[in-house]
């Protein structure tokens, strides 16, 4: 292992030769810094390979605070060498999941990373700003490898007419967690917002399906589509796939299986009708559709029957996917008001799993996400309803959020309150969230 770190890290220390004195080929400033003092090490008194091993296990949420310690630490935490070490030693399924929250349009409001295990927050720089568009919402964010992708959405374009009519976006941006920079990638073949999206398990591909042009400022309005396409990360290009069986937007997508992969699309809305010929009302789907993706290829869509009976519920609630570390069928959970349901594949039904210990004032303003095998129900403390006020007095900032965390295997609940470094209140009705492994 010492030889491995010596070959990868190649940091200057007292026993290093001049031929192995550079930290990274891309970091020319390190060699200049080394020429001034050849005895510098990451941690004084320790070999650099051991120091790198220690530092690579520090949580990502602390990296920004650690960079000012020294020039060498800044170089180390800003290089891909750190990621290379973690990949070699820590399997991706063993890396803790972090929560990425987009409170508003990411081009004007910074996204944030939350580390639930260490209760630590860090900020992501805003996305590149386009002066002609504003009010981006209903976009999708997914993580793949060491990158964060922001795809599509709905926005207003000052170059379109009328100005108050939202348009779908085809833009794709990628954030590099090492360099802390955004890149603009090739746009999707079809502009869309409120669509299903999932990265392919153990593959360099991202699949998107359905969507439309609806904006959060409007009720039942906007277009719907059947378009499906896939992004090849290696080739940096989009490829069109077979379209959905019907128009579908506002749906959720996820991958199932490891070797025999399937892309599932659940819920959403299709056609709309009007009440009294004036008020538009959505027709929500009660079923799901599945695309077979065996051996890296793509197949045809097959339809799954209704997942609930007429009158049981109006639409699909918020869905969270608990990954199976062994590559099997994941746990699929839905938050419906204050109840959590588990999807059973064999019966194609949702069965009640549990209820929230503390009900919220506004049950539609709850975030729902799976992190590290647990289900997190998130609310701003003003929406926390019957939560013990004595606990909340210790967290007076309006930005404090309250989390109720459920472990599906152990069947137990726990709670915590955290204060993100965000000035504005987070509206979980519209905030976009995803998980990241670093």
């Amino acid at each position: 292992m010492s030889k491995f770190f010596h070959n990868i890290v190649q940091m200057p220390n007292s026993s290093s030769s001049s031929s192995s004195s550079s930290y990274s080929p891309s970091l020319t400033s390190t060699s200049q810094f080394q020429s001034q003092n050849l005895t510098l090490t990451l941690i004084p008194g320790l070999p650099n390979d051991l120091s790198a091993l220690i530092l690579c296990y520090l949580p990502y949420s602390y990296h920004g605070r650690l960079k000012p310690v020294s020039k060498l630490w800044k170089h180390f935490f800003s290089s891909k060498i750190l990621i290379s070490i973690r990949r070699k030693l820590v399997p991706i399924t063993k890396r803790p999941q972090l929560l990425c929250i987009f409170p508003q349009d990411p081009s004007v409001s910074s996204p944030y990373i939350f580390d639930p295990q260490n209760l630590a927050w860090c900020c992501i720089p805003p996305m590149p700003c386009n002066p002609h568009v504003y009010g981006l919402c209903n976009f999708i964010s997914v993580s793949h490898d060491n990158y964060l992708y922001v795809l599509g959405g709905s926005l207003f374009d000052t170059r379109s007419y009328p100005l108050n009519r939202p348009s779908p976006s085809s833009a794709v941006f990628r954030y590099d967690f090492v360099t802390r920079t955004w890149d603009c990638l090739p746009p999707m073949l079809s502009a869309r917002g409120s669509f299903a999206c999932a990265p392919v398990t153990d593959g360099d591909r991202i699949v998107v399906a359905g969507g439309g042009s609806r904006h959060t400022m409007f009720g039942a309005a906007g277009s719907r589509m059947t378009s499906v396409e896939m992004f090849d990360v290696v080739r940096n290009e989009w490829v069109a796939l077979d379209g959905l069986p019907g128009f579908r937007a506002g749906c959720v997508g996820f991958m199932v299986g490891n070797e025999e992969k399937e892309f599932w699309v659940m819920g959403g809305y299709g056609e709309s009708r009007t009440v009294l010929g004036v008020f538009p009302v959505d027709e929500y789907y009660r079923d799901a559709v599945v695309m077979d993706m065996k051996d890296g290829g793509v197949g045809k869509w097959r339809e799954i029957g209704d997942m609930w009976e007429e009158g049981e519920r109006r639409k699909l609630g918020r869905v969270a996917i608990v990954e199976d570390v062994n590559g099997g069928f994941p746990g699929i959970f839905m938050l419906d008001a204050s109840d959590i349901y588990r999807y059973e594949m064999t019966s194609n039904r949702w069965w009640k799993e549990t209820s929230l210990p503390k009900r919220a004032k506004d049950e539609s303003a709850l975030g729902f996400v799976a992190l590290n095998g647990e289900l997190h129900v998130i609310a701003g403390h003003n929406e926390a309803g019957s939560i013990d006020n004595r606990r909340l007095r210790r967290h007076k900032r309006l930005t404090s959020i309250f989390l109720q965390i459920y472990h599906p295997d152990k069947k137990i609940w726990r709670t915590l309150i955290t204060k993100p470094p965000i000035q504005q209140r987070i509206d979980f009705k519209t905030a976009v969230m995803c998980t990241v492994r670093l």
Side-chain angles (χ1 to χ4, degrees):
M1 181 175 292
S2 177
K3 182 179 179 181
F4 166 75
F5 283 110
H6 176 75
N7 294 332
I8 290 186
V9 181
Q10 295 182 359
M11 288 291 297
N13 56 36
S14 57
S15 60
S16 299
S17 64
S18 59
S19 62
S20 62
S21 60
S22 91
Y23 181 4
S24 171
S26 61
L27 298 174
T28 57
S29 60
T30 304
S31 59
Q32 298 173 357
F33 185 68
Q34 176 201 348
S35 63
Q36 299 175 8
N37 193 337
L38 297 178
T39 64
L40 291 176
T41 58
L42 277 171
I43 301 178
L46 292 180
N48 280 318
D49 53 358
L50 179 57
S51 300
L53 175 61
I54 295 173
L55 296 181
C56 80
Y57 280 99
L58 295 176
Y60 177 83
S61 51
Y62 294 148
H63 289 186
R65 306 177 189 178
L66 296 173
K67 287 180 181 180
V69 170
S70 68
K71 289 185 177 180
L72 292 183
W73 281 38
K74 180 179 181 181
H75 291 319
F76 180 76
F77 287 112
S78 302
S79 72
K80 295 185 181 297
I81 294 176
L82 172 64
I83 300 299
S84 299
I85 298 174
R86 289 184 63 84
R87 282 182 176 177
K88 184 71 175 181
L89 298 179
V90 185
I92 189 170
T93 56
K94 299 296 184 180
R95 301 173 201 164
Q97 286 183 310
L98 310 178
L99 177 62
C100 182
I101 301 179
F102 295 81
Q104 296 178 6
D105 182 346
S107 63
V108 297
S109 178
S110 296
Y112 290 85
I113 295 291
F114 174 54
D115 182 350
Q117 292 186 350
N118 299 285
L119 294 182
W121 292 80
C122 62
C123 176
I124 293 178
M127 244 171 37
C129 180
N130 184 338
H132 300 292
V133 300
Y134 61 96
L136 179 66
C137 68
N138 290 340
F139 56 91
I140 300 296
S141 177
V142 297
S143 63
H144 177 70
D145 201 3
N146 300 302
Y147 299 97
L148 180 68
Y149 292 82
V150 174
L151 307 96
S154 181
L155 46 74
F156 296 99
D157 195 326
T158 58
R159 297 163 294 185
S160 64
Y161 183 83
L163 296 178
N164 62 348
R165 179 177 297 172
S167 304
S169 172
S170 61
V172 179
F173 295 91
R174 181 177 64 190
Y175 179 73
D176 189 329
F177 282 101
V178 177
T179 62
R180 292 180 59 84
T181 57
W182 288 94
D183 293 318
C184 184
L185 302 183
M188 292 183 288
L189 303 178
S190 300
R192 68 186 80 214
S194 302
F195 53 95
C197 176
V200 179
T201 308
D202 299 328
D204 295 323
R205 294 170 294 166
I206 300 174
V207 184
V208 299
S213 62
R214 175 172 297 181
H215 198 276
T216 55
M217 292 181 61
F218 299 88
S223 61
R224 286 87 162 151
M225 61 195 310
T226 62
S227 169
V228 180
E229 52 190 293
M230 181 173 62
F231 181 63
D232 190 313
V233 176
V234 177
R235 296 183 178 180
N236 201 35
E237 64 180 10
W238 289 92
V239 179
L241 305 180
D242 287 343
L244 293 168
F247 295 100
R248 191 183 295 247
C251 43
V252 62
F254 54 89
M255 297 299 302
V256 169
N258 191 11
E259 296 182 1
E260 297 184 357
K261 302 179 180 66
E262 293 179 335
F263 177 52
W264 284 59
V265 177
M266 278 186 174
Y269 50 86
E271 301 295 336
S272 63
R273 58 184 175 85
T274 58
V275 178
L276 302 177
V278 178
F279 304 103
V281 178
D282 289 318
E283 294 286 355
Y284 287 97
Y285 285 105
R286 301 198 304 268
D287 67 344
V289 292
V290 181
M291 174 180 279
D292 189 0
M293 306 189 71
K294 292 181 181 178
D295 302 324
V298 292
K300 300 293 183 179
W301 290 96
R302 77 174 189 270
E303 299 184 39
I304 307 295
D306 291 347
M307 296 178 289
W308 63 84
E309 301 294 337
E310 180 71 31
E312 187 176 349
R313 64 175 52 86
R314 180 168 173 259
K315 62 179 181 179
L316 187 73
R318 295 182 180 270
V319 174
I321 310 299
V322 177
E323 300 175 358
D324 186 342
V325 295
N326 298 319
F329 193 81
I332 305 172
F333 297 89
M334 173 180 62
L335 178 64
D336 187 5
S338 293
D339 298 322
I340 294 179
Y341 293 80
R342 183 195 292 259
Y343 176 71
E344 185 180 83
M345 185 178 181
T346 55
S347 63
N348 190 32
R349 285 291 184 270
W350 293 94
W351 302 102
K352 186 175 178 179
E353 174 82 9
T354 184
S355 297
L356 298 181
K358 305 295 183 180
R359 298 178 64 94
K361 291 180 179 179
D362 185 358
E363 294 174 340
S364 65
L366 298 176
F368 188 50
V369 66
L371 282 167
N372 303 309
E374 296 179 311
L375 299 172
H376 291 60
V377 181
I378 313 173
H381 79 250
N382 285 340
E383 287 80 25
S386 59
I387 299 169
D388 190 347
N389 289 329
R390 290 174 297 178
R391 298 185 61 191
L392 295 178
R393 291 193 190 104
R394 300 195 302 268
H395 305 269
K396 296 182 178 180
R397 286 180 55 184
L398 294 178
T399 55
S400 297
I401 59 176
F402 179 77
L403 295 93
Q404 301 182 74
I405 304 171
Y406 176 72
H407 198 295
D409 295 333
K410 299 179 181 179
K411 310 292 184 182
I412 58 175
W413 284 92
R414 62 187 179 91
T415 61
L416 65 86
I417 298 177
T418 181
K419 298 191 294 184
I422 306 173
Q423 297 302 320
Q424 73 273 20
R425 169 181 168 272
I426 302 177
D427 185 357
F428 288 101
K429 290 182 181 179
T430 57
V432 175
M433 298 186 294
C434 73
T435 60
V436 183
R437 290 189 186 272
L438 297 173

